[in-house]
Amino acid sequence: MKFNKVLKNLSTYEAGKPIELVVREYGIDPKEVVKLASNENPYGTSPKVVAKIESLAKNMYLYPDDSMFELKEALANKFDLESKNVIIGSGSDQILEFCIHAKCKKKSNVLMAKTTFAMYEIYSKQVGANVIKTESSQHNLKELSKLYKKHGADVIFLCIPNNPLGECLDKDEVYEFLKTIDKNTLVVVDGAYQEYASFKDEKKRICPKDLISKFPNAIYLGTFSKAYALGGMRVGYGLAQPEIISTFYKIRAPFNITTLSLAAAIEALKDEDFVKECIAKNFIEMKRYEEYASKKGFEYIPSYTNFITILFKDFVSKTVAQKLLERGMIVRDLTGYGLNAIRVTIGTNDQNTKLFKLLDEVLEGLK
Amino acid sequence: MKFNKVLKNLSTYEAGKPIELVVREYGIDPKEVVKLASNENPYGTSPKVVAKIESLAKNMYLYPDDSMFELKEALANKFDLESKNVIIGSGSDQILEFCIHAKCKKKSNVLMAKTTFAMYEIYSKQVGANVIKTESSQHNLKELSKLYKKHGADVIFLCIPNNPLGECLDKDEVYEFLKTIDKNTLVVVDGAYQEYASFKDEKKRICPKDLISKFPNAIYLGTFSKAYALGGMRVGYGLAQPEIISTFYKIRAPFNITTLSLAAAIEALKDEDFVKECIAKNFIEMKRYEEYASKKGFEYIPSYTNFITILFKDFVSKTVAQKLLERGMIVRDLTGYGLNAIRVTIGTNDQNTKLFKLLDEVLEGLK
């Protein structure tokens, strides 16, 4: 059967390996497997949200309120915006897809950093758009400006802070960059890890209301998958001017999140204390990683997220990740991103202790 | 901001009104609202599935196993196929989207019955495809053949049985039709309500394995939203030859269903007794609708699903649906589909009794 030509050379996203796979392939007791590969919140979902979902599980047969009235109201309230500024996606991933489908077609230009969230490129290529990347791995606004002047772009992706590297642009430099961008170019500010970055350093904080008021061609993306500890529930959101939101609604399929996801997200917004605690613990634990890397003489990228990227010189990251996997420790190898590095989610105190121990063991064996 | 031109004249899907909306707009106690508008399984989710999800709610922070190993194995087992024949979607809706995105682009032709599932047309128009419909509302294979000979098609949608009308093609006539279709045309057999149709009449039963073996250009779609009582969890599946499935995987976004949806679907497949009981009760209750309609002199379409379409002559369906809504009874008005009719989901015994009572009241007031 013939399919659209554009699909021929598409690659698919390589997800962090699930615990179930390690159990199946290496026969390890699921309780012994530690997953530090997908930047899930290691402290688990807020007990209040868990209790809510337990009480609502019987409603699984009912479609969700597709207007998402209550969740949109709660988000609008949180960000001092209106419901008409909000669209909900099945993860903020799905909003990325809306951005591409609304703005791009064959031969559109999409601009991004060399090493950034893989779905930007995957969605772009699905519609046959050209993906233009900077030479530098990390976000470099000078390079992005130069490429923009040369090629123009229908969409620019900025991942603030950046996944999978962890670096983070300052708000002020983002604004300076945005001033130079044509109002017809959609600039996507992916704030999936903003809760972490703005906790660590106020200069990194992007206020969605301020952003989209000053730059009506920008959209801010947020997610419940990271700090809000609902990675498995697939809820993200886009905040933008109504012109953009209403267009995206034309692309959104009905019932794009589940009944329980909707309820979980609404409940999670009521327990901000839990989120703050998790973030505070994250940065206490991250210090241990920085100390570990320094002690071992490994370079790492200072991170504004809930993960850290450790670069190797004398070891092959792919081998290191594989050896860890065989011991029930899942981390992300970044070879596919062109880096000899691993990305490790900052886990709980115990999980991190285990990671250091196993990594010591693996590296010793590879010497 | 300029968006893709194709989005300009797009319409969006009008979902059945949620209970929350009726509560908000008409101030009715949620316990008093009855929703017979979205063909949910009125008997609720299987208690075994509910118990499973209650026990797993704490896992919401974890991404699902994106390989969906266990669910694909279970479905392959159920249908005597292999995992490579299976793809999972966020509802079978999402598989419809894959069909269009894999096969269609601007000016592609997509063929369907005049009155059928609205998403076929919506997804087609999102990529700028031409939608070609039969003159008859219900599926008419002679008309479809004629249109196919005249225009050709990249995709043909067959809804068996048909939503929102309820009629159902025989397997044999579908096969005769498929013999005349070019192997490069993707034929989508949407079996969202097949569990109901094949229970009522063995002649309507489509065996996915037989279908895709005889016609490798066909894809069978199934869902957990109807008989399996998981409408709110957004899980559907496509069964086809690996050539089609592997192409669709290029389009599928990672983590397209939630952690709890995955677990719920796996568990639901283990409780087929529950499904059978619900379906048996559905057709006992449907007889009451047929009797009610006959008594009142209303025409209805004999239905192979869990809903029934009642046509009006002396009343305006839109008004009837609105008056019912104001009394806390949600049904679907089919004016938007070009019919002066309402579609009512077959509810529980009590819900149906209430519907008859309220409908009597509304019709009396409209005389």
Side-chain angles (χ1 to χ4, degrees):
Chain A
M1 182 173 285
K2 279 182 211 157
F3 297 103
N4 280 333
K5 275 182 200 155
V6 77
L7 300 179
K8 241 179 204 167
N9 300 311
L10 281 191
S11 56
T12 51
Y13 181 76
E14 199 189 332
K17 291 189 168 52
I19 290 170
E20 295 89 331
L21 180 137
V22 180
V23 173
R24 280 195 304 271
E25 293 198 357
Y26 302 101
I28 300 171
D29 182 339
K31 281 174 201 148
E32 294 300 315
V33 179
V34 176
K35 185 184 173 200
L36 298 177
S38 297
N39 307 337
E40 290 140 337
N41 186 327
Y43 304 103
T45 304
S46 149
K48 288 179 188 168
V49 180
V50 173
K52 185 76 183 181
I53 295 310
E54 285 168 354
S55 76
L56 292 176
K58 62 182 186 311
N59 288 346
M60 288 186 285
Y61 72 109
L62 291 170
Y63 285 95
D65 174 358
D66 199 41
S67 77
M68 304 194 201
F69 180 86
E70 197 179 342
L71 178 57
K72 291 202 296 187
E73 283 281 304
L75 283 166
N77 194 44
K78 176 180 164 74
F79 292 109
D80 192 21
L81 288 164
E82 293 180 54
S83 280
K84 65 184 178 188
N85 297 114
V86 185
I87 188 165
I88 309 295
S90 174
S92 49
D93 276 47
Q94 196 175 46
I95 319 274
L96 298 171
E97 200 176 359
F98 298 161
C99 293
I100 293 296
H101 283 270
K103 286 291 292 176
C104 299
K105 48 192 173 185
K106 216 172 161 182
K107 295 185 180 169
S108 294
N109 286 337
V110 180
L111 204 54
M112 63 188 75
K114 181 180 168 190
T115 305
T116 189
F117 187 45
M119 293 309 299
Y120 304 159
E121 180 167 358
I122 292 174
Y123 287 129
S124 302
K125 290 193 169 166
Q126 281 181 3
V127 300
N130 299 319
V131 172
I132 303 171
K133 293 180 177 181
T134 57
E135 269 190 45
S136 301
S137 274
Q138 300 180 29
H139 282 66
N140 182 317
L141 291 173
K142 273 186 195 163
E143 289 181 29
L144 281 168
S145 281
K146 210 172 151 186
L147 291 169
Y148 183 69
K149 272 174 202 148
K150 189 172 173 189
H151 304 284
D154 293 293
V155 177
I156 301 174
F157 286 107
L158 299 176
C159 196
I160 310 175
N162 187 24
N163 173 19
L165 298 183
E167 95 276 7
C168 190
L169 295 168
D170 283 357
K171 185 208 79 172
D172 286 346
E173 55 182 345
V174 172
Y175 276 31
E176 284 308 311
F177 174 75
L178 279 164
K179 284 179 193 163
T180 70
I181 303 301
D182 186 272
K183 291 295 165 262
N184 197 32
T185 297
L186 179 66
V187 182
V188 182
V189 173
D190 185 345
Y193 298 89
Q194 259 289 316
E195 290 87 355
Y196 296 97
S198 55
F199 176 94
K200 185 175 178 180
D201 184 348
E202 198 55 38
K203 286 201 302 290
K204 310 298 183 186
R205 184 185 299 277
I206 307 267
C207 164
K209 185 183 184 173
D210 190 56
L211 175 78
I212 68 172
S213 303
K214 289 202 171 68
F215 307 102
N217 58 322
I219 180 166
Y220 178 92
L221 306 192
T223 184
F224 286 90
S225 297
K226 307 302 173 186
Y228 286 84
L230 289 173
M233 297 309 278
R234 319 303 301 123
V235 193
Y237 52 90
L239 306 173
Q241 293 301 337
E243 181 198 16
I244 296 174
I245 298 297
S246 61
T247 304
F248 284 16
Y249 261 98
K250 292 183 176 182
I251 308 175
R252 187 194 71 104
F255 309 123
N256 59 329
I257 68 169
T258 78
T259 298
L260 298 187
S261 305
L262 185 58
I266 292 166
E267 201 63 21
L269 285 177
K270 295 178 189 163
D271 195 5
E272 297 277 3
D273 285 347
F274 170 84
V275 174
K276 278 178 202 156
E277 273 171 42
C278 293
I279 295 173
K281 285 190 269 187
N282 174 71
F283 285 108
I284 292 168
E285 289 298 315
M286 192 179 291
K287 281 216 179 82
R288 297 177 65 203
Y289 277 84
E290 294 171 348
E291 285 162 15
Y292 178 87
S294 299
K295 205 178 76 186
K296 296 275 169 182
F298 298 140
E299 203 185 319
Y300 65 87
I301 301 173
S303 171
Y304 293 83
T305 66
N306 68 344
F307 59 82
I308 190 162
T309 292
I310 300 170
L311 298 104
F312 294 122
K313 278 180 187 156
D314 305 330
F315 300 98
V316 178
S317 64
K318 197 175 175 176
T319 312
V320 173
Q322 177 59 32
K323 296 276 180 199
L324 285 172
L325 189 69
E326 291 163 12
R327 286 161 175 80
M329 174 61 70
I330 321 175
V331 303
R332 189 74 74 99
D333 168 42
L334 296 185
T335 304
Y337 288 85
L339 292 172
N340 185 29
I342 57 171
R343 189 195 69 182
V344 186
T345 304
I346 310 300
T348 61
N349 190 280
D350 285 353
Q351 289 175 328
N352 300 330
T353 301
K354 190 167 182 179
L355 182 276
F356 300 140
K357 183 178 158 283
L358 291 177
L359 191 51
D360 277 348
E361 199 180 300
V362 163
L363 296 175
E364 192 56 40
L366 288 173
K367 264 183 187 163
Chain B
M1 182 174 283
K2 278 181 210 158
F3 298 103
N4 280 332
K5 274 183 202 155
V6 77
L7 300 179
K8 242 180 204 169
N9 300 312
L10 282 189
S11 55
T12 51
Y13 181 76
E14 198 190 332
K17 290 188 170 51
I19 290 169
E20 294 89 332
L21 179 137
V22 180
V23 173
R24 280 195 305 273
E25 293 200 355
Y26 302 101
I28 300 172
D29 182 341
K31 283 175 198 146
E32 295 300 314
V33 179
V34 175
K35 185 184 172 200
L36 298 176
S38 296
N39 307 336
E40 291 139 336
N41 186 327
Y43 304 103
T45 305
S46 148
K48 289 178 188 169
V49 180
V50 173
K52 185 77 183 181
I53 294 311
E54 284 168 353
S55 76
L56 293 175
K58 63 183 184 310
N59 288 345
M60 286 186 286
Y61 72 109
L62 292 169
Y63 285 96
D65 175 358
D66 199 42
S67 76
M68 304 192 201
F69 179 86
E70 196 178 341
L71 178 56
K72 290 202 294 187
E73 283 282 304
L75 283 167
N77 193 44
K78 175 180 165 75
F79 292 110
D80 191 21
L81 289 163
E82 293 179 56
S83 280
K84 66 183 177 187
N85 297 113
V86 185
I87 189 164
I88 308 295
S90 175
S92 50
D93 276 46
Q94 196 176 45
I95 319 275
L96 298 172
E97 200 177 359
F98 297 162
C99 294
I100 292 296
H101 282 270
K103 287 291 292 177
C104 298
K105 48 192 171 185
K106 216 173 159 178
K107 293 185 183 170
S108 294
N109 286 336
V110 180
L111 203 55
M112 64 189 72
K114 180 179 168 192
T115 304
T116 189
F117 188 45
M119 293 308 298
Y120 304 159
E121 179 167 0
I122 292 174
Y123 286 129
S124 302
K125 290 193 170 167
Q126 280 181 3
V127 300
N130 300 319
V131 172
I132 302 170
K133 293 180 177 181
T134 56
E135 269 189 48
S136 301
S137 273
Q138 300 182 29
H139 282 67
N140 181 317
L141 291 173
K142 274 186 192 160
E143 288 181 30
L144 281 168
S145 281
K146 210 172 152 187
L147 290 169
Y148 183 68
K149 273 176 199 144
K150 189 171 174 189
H151 305 284
D154 293 292
V155 176
I156 302 174
F157 287 108
L158 299 175
C159 196
I160 310 175
N162 187 26
N163 174 19
L165 298 184
E167 94 278 8
C168 190
L169 294 168
D170 283 357
K171 184 208 81 171
D172 286 347
E173 56 181 347
V174 173
Y175 275 30
E176 283 309 310
F177 174 74
L178 278 164
K179 283 180 193 162
T180 68
I181 303 301
D182 186 271
K183 291 293 164 262
N184 197 32
T185 297
L186 180 66
V187 182
V188 183
V189 173
D190 184 345
Y193 298 88
Q194 258 290 316
E195 291 87 354
Y196 295 97
S198 55
F199 176 94
K200 184 175 178 178
D201 183 349
E202 198 55 37
K203 288 201 301 290
K204 309 298 184 186
R205 184 185 297 280
I206 306 269
C207 165
K209 184 184 184 172
D210 190 56
L211 175 78
I212 68 173
S213 305
K214 290 201 170 71
F215 307 102
N217 58 324
I219 181 166
Y220 178 92
L221 305 192
T223 185
F224 286 90
S225 298
K226 307 301 173 188
Y228 286 84
L230 290 172
M233 297 308 280
R234 317 305 299 127
V235 192
Y237 51 89
L239 306 172
Q241 292 302 336
E243 181 198 18
I244 296 173
I245 298 297
S246 62
T247 304
F248 283 15
Y249 261 99
K250 293 183 176 183
I251 308 174
R252 187 195 71 106
F255 310 123
N256 60 329
I257 68 170
T258 77
T259 298
L260 298 188
S261 305
L262 185 58
I266 292 167
E267 200 63 23
L269 285 176
K270 294 178 188 163
D271 195 5
E272 296 278 4
D273 286 347
F274 171 83
V275 175
K276 277 177 204 156
E277 271 170 43
C278 293
I279 295 173
K281 283 190 268 187
N282 175 71
F283 285 108
I284 291 168
E285 289 297 316
M286 191 178 292
K287 280 215 179 83
R288 296 178 65 202
Y289 277 84
E290 295 171 348
E291 285 161 14
Y292 178 86
S294 299
K295 205 178 75 185
K296 296 276 168 181
F298 297 141
E299 204 184 321
Y300 65 87
I301 301 173
S303 169
Y304 293 83
T305 66
N306 69 344
F307 59 82
I308 191 163
T309 292
I310 300 171
L311 299 105
F312 293 122
K313 279 182 187 156
D314 304 328
F315 300 98
V316 178
S317 64
K318 199 173 175 177
T319 311
V320 173
Q322 177 58 31
K323 295 277 179 196
L324 285 171
L325 188 69
E326 290 163 14
R327 286 162 175 78
M329 174 62 69
I330 321 176
V331 302
R332 189 75 73 99
D333 167 43
L334 296 185
T335 305
Y337 288 85
L339 292 172
N340 184 30
I342 58 171
R343 189 194 71 181
V344 185
T345 305
I346 309 300
T348 61
N349 190 280
D350 284 353
Q351 290 174 327
N352 299 331
T353 300
K354 189 167 182 177
L355 181 279
F356 300 140
K357 183 177 157 285
L358 291 177
L359 191 50
D360 276 347
E361 200 178 300
V362 164
L363 296 175
E364 191 57 39
L366 288 172
K367 263 182 191 165

